[in-house]
Amino acid sequence: MDSPGDLFSPSENDETRSSNKLKKPPTVTPRRFRRFFTPRPSHKTSDAVKTSRRALRDITGPALNRKAQDGAQDGQPLSLEDVEFTSETQGHHSSKRRKLSLSSVDLPLQSSPLRRVSYFPSSSQEDDATTRPNIQSDSQFNELSTILPSSASTLSGMKIKPLRSLGTSAGLLTSRIHTGPARQRPDVRVRHETETAAFYSAPKDTHLCYDNTSTHCTMPFSTASCNTNSLIALGCEDGGIKLFDSAREDRVGFSEPFLSFYPHDNAVLDLEFSDDDAYLATASGDQTSLVIDMQTQRTIACLMGHTASLKQVKFQPGSNNKVLATCGRDGNIHIWDLRCHESGQVSHIMNRHLLDQLEQSESPRLRFQSPVNKIRDAHFANQLSRAVTLYPNSKRSHQSRGEVSVTSLCFLPSRPHLFISASESDATIKLWDLRASYQSRTRHQPLPLSTTRSPPHHTNLRPYGITSTALSSCGSLLYAACRDHNIYAYSTSHLVLGSSPDLLSHQHQHPPPPPPRFGGPDSESLGPLYAFRHPNFKISTFYIKLALRRPTACGSTTELLAAGSGDNCAVLFPTSERYTRDPLLRRAAIERGTKNYQYEDGLPIYTHGTPLVGGHTKEVTALSWNRTEGNLVSVSDDFHARCWREDAEGARELRKVGEKEGRRWRCGWAEVEDADWDEE
């Protein structure tokens, strides 16, 4: 029987007698350590390496430039005969697998790691044809055409045309490869019209809203789009809900609805589809909110508890369509959970449609829910502090509770337990935690997690309220439409962070401010980052809403912010950071003297918006984006709902045709300052 020592080498036998465990050689040896940390200069390439990649190495731009400088080619064009092809079968085969490295490409010697050699010819070198090899001669192109595909022959003599709209990187690249005698400055002018000027609306894309008797016109108040298809829901003044198909290939079009039902007796002020489109939540002027099963169009839950008209309703993300939040003109925010027991006491039901459903035995059981959490007078402290400051001896400082309407709320997608609210009193945004209990018997003012600062110019003027809010597609920005005709962009990260002295401008003051307490007015976060403004964007009532189009994964649609307006049109604002945060673009805008970039009390204000004109004759209130095709649906006080489709040719034709021959009749289009901006 062999002893355990026979399994190892004689040199290792004595070392392993005391242990049965096999000792492996060390992974890091001094030689490997030196080879790993010894820098390899890129200009030194071993001539012993003979592989098929040498041919590719020798025809690179740096190799050709170096050969031209050494005089090896004497200004003659490079031919394929000068390239030495060597097979891997010739020469010694290495036992180790050769790793890929950038050192196989001959690069010029770098004089300093902080100073890199430019691999593009300068303007003086471009003028001198003798200082660079002519690698695009006819003889060489004929030889390459036998190797490359046949489509490569069309590249000969092709002139590079600069794009009309270029980003910063594209402008720099165009200037590098420009074949002219002199290098021009990169074109950093980015036209926002490339994203907003392609919308138009045809006569068949409009609908005139009638009541259930089809005798009188009714005014649409709200609209919402499905998440999984192209259906659009409209909520009308008579309590009816209509469904339309906004798809382009639909044979009926947007002019006629294919489904209508009437769950309310009063105006439907807001609509919200669940994530799977199985349920539709409504906010009505009859002080109730209904949850409707879309397959049967029957109400499955009635949310009762508000004492005034409701303004908005939202589903909590990730709650399996069981948790909702509502806000109303009574100044309260209610949280509802459909999994909890229904309310034991049901107040007097004024909705005749619910009474008819209760009388039908075959209809599903209707649940009457009570809120599981309440935030009473959520924004009353802002109104009270403003009244005390402006009118200390007036009756306004002793006003009663419940007079501050909560106009908007939304959940944070990254933190579903947090939601944001805004009111009519001022432009501050409050952050609340769904898990906290705000029901107090002592009627103390509820304390939010944090509150944003008001815009800088509101300190010298009267405060203006918020009419609507919308979150960006990534959830990092919150857009708020204010009554001062601006749309402010807040950072949700700053709002979640709360009071941060490190981010304030007076962080070095002495003595430092005392640490704020948790929640309340002292936990004040930063104000808006910037704002959008446009001459056609005017907010005259609190019915004007915002809607944001989310970009698709394939990149066919970009993120756009649509806003209603009292100027009888909707206004589109591109939200890309290249219009708001690129310093080159801001400097170019200032040098050109354009009005797309302004400052007001240190707050950047951007005016690169595009109005959609001709489609409506009165105030445009609610908006919604189609999730599948990127179409926009707008409703107006002129009793019409209109679908705006994205087609550059159709929009350009309506802008240029004028009023002759009546081709603009009942149509709408995107209006731009320069009508010929997209002409080649």
Side-chain angles (χ1 to χ4, degrees), residues 264-493:
H264 290 279
D265 287 333
N266 208 324
V268 181
L269 300 178
D270 190 46
L271 295 170
E272 174 76 2
F273 278 99
S274 61
D275 294 336
D276 55 358
D277 298 331
Y279 301 101
L280 175 66
T282 64
S284 175
D286 58 4
Q287 305 178 10
T288 62
S289 176
L290 303 181
V291 180
I292 303 173
D293 186 1
M294 290 306 299
Q295 292 186 356
T296 60
Q297 294 87 50
R298 294 285 184 176
T299 302
I300 62 173
C302 178
L303 313 181
M304 306 177 64
H306 285 277
T307 58
S309 300
L310 273 69
K311 296 292 293 184
Q312 200 166 22
V313 58
K314 289 291 184 181
F315 280 99
Q316 182 192 17
S319 64
N320 198 18
N321 308 330
K322 300 300 182 182
V323 180
L324 300 92
T326 57
C327 62
R329 291 183 176 177
D330 55 0
N332 301 333
I333 299 175
H334 289 183
I335 308 299
W336 314 83
D337 195 339
L338 303 183
R339 297 166 295 188
C340 298
H341 295 287
E342 57 182 308
S343 177
Q345 297 179 357
V346 179
S347 60
H348 184 62
I349 302 176
M350 300 296 296
N351 193 337
R352 59 183 178 88
H353 301 284
L354 294 182
L355 294 176
D356 296 341
Q357 182 175 342
L358 290 175
E359 295 177 357
Q360 299 177 5
S361 58
E362 68 276 4
S363 62
R365 185 170 178 269
L366 179 61
R367 298 171 57 92
F368 293 91
Q369 299 290 144
S370 58
V372 297
N373 199 354
K374 298 180 182 179
I375 305 178
R376 301 180 184 273
D377 304 324
H379 289 261
F380 177 76
N382 300 343
Q383 184 80 2
L384 182 60
S385 60
R386 185 186 70 175
V388 172
T389 303
L390 299 179
Y391 312 99
N393 300 324
S394 176
K395 294 182 180 180
R396 297 186 182 183
S397 59
H398 304 284
Q399 59 179 332
S400 61
R401 291 176 177 267
E403 295 182 1
V404 181
S405 174
V406 181
T407 57
S408 179
L409 61 86
C410 57
F411 285 92
L412 296 183
S414 59
R415 298 175 177 87
H417 61 279
L418 301 179
F419 63 95
I420 295 170
S421 65
S423 69
E424 65 174 359
S425 61
D426 54 16
T428 59
I429 307 295
K430 290 189 176 183
L431 179 68
W432 308 89
D433 194 340
L434 188 70
R435 304 166 297 180
S437 177
Y438 298 98
Q439 301 186 29
S440 176
R441 297 181 180 180
T442 59
R443 301 284 291 176
H444 286 175
Q445 186 65 30
L447 297 180
L449 296 182
S450 63
T451 305
T452 62
R453 294 176 179 266
S454 298
H457 55 277
H458 283 197
T459 56
N460 300 328
L461 303 174
R462 71 174 184 88
Y464 295 89
I466 299 294
T467 64
S468 177
T469 58
L471 280 171
S472 62
S473 57
C474 60
S476 61
L477 292 177
L478 175 70
Y479 301 102
C482 187
R483 283 294 303 270
D484 62 352
H485 314 303
N486 291 324
I487 300 178
Y488 296 103
Y490 295 89
S491 172
T492 57
S493 300

Side-chain angles (χ1 to χ4, degrees), residues 9 90 98 160 163 182 247 253 294 308 331 352 361 431 469 542 668 680:
S9 60
Q90 300 177 1
R98 187 168 179 267
I160 300 177
L163 296 177
M294 290 306 299
R352 59 183 178 88
S361 58
L431 179 68
T469 58
F542 279 94
E680 295 295 335

Side-chain angles (χ1 to χ4, degrees), residues 96-113:
K96 296 183 179 180
R97 186 174 181 181
R98 187 168 179 267
K99 298 181 180 180
L100 298 179
S101 174
L102 294 177
S103 61
S104 60
V105 181
D106 291 339
L107 298 178
L109 178 62
Q110 302 292 344
S111 60
S112 173

Side-chain angles (χ1 to χ4, degrees), residues 42-59:
S42 59
H43 63 281
K44 293 183 180 181
T45 307
S46 177
D47 296 333
V49 179
K50 295 182 179 180
T51 61
S52 58
R53 292 183 301 162
R54 183 183 179 89
L56 299 178
R57 184 196 66 185
D58 292 340
I59 63 174

Side-chain angles (χ1 to χ4, degrees), residues 231-290:
L231 295 181
I232 300 291
L234 294 182
C236 301
E237 186 181 13
D238 60 345
I241 297 177
K242 301 179 180 181
L243 292 180
F244 297 84
D245 194 348
S246 60
R248 186 186 298 270
E249 64 274 5
D250 185 65
R251 64 178 184 85
V252 179
F254 196 78
S255 58
E256 295 295 334
F258 70 94
L259 179 61
S260 300
F261 55 98
Y262 295 84
H264 290 279
D265 287 333
N266 208 324
V268 181
L269 300 178
D270 190 46
L271 295 170
E272 174 76 2
F273 278 99
S274 61
D275 294 336
D276 55 358
D277 298 331
Y279 301 101
L280 175 66
T282 64
S284 175
D286 58 4
Q287 305 178 10
T288 62
S289 176
L290 303 181

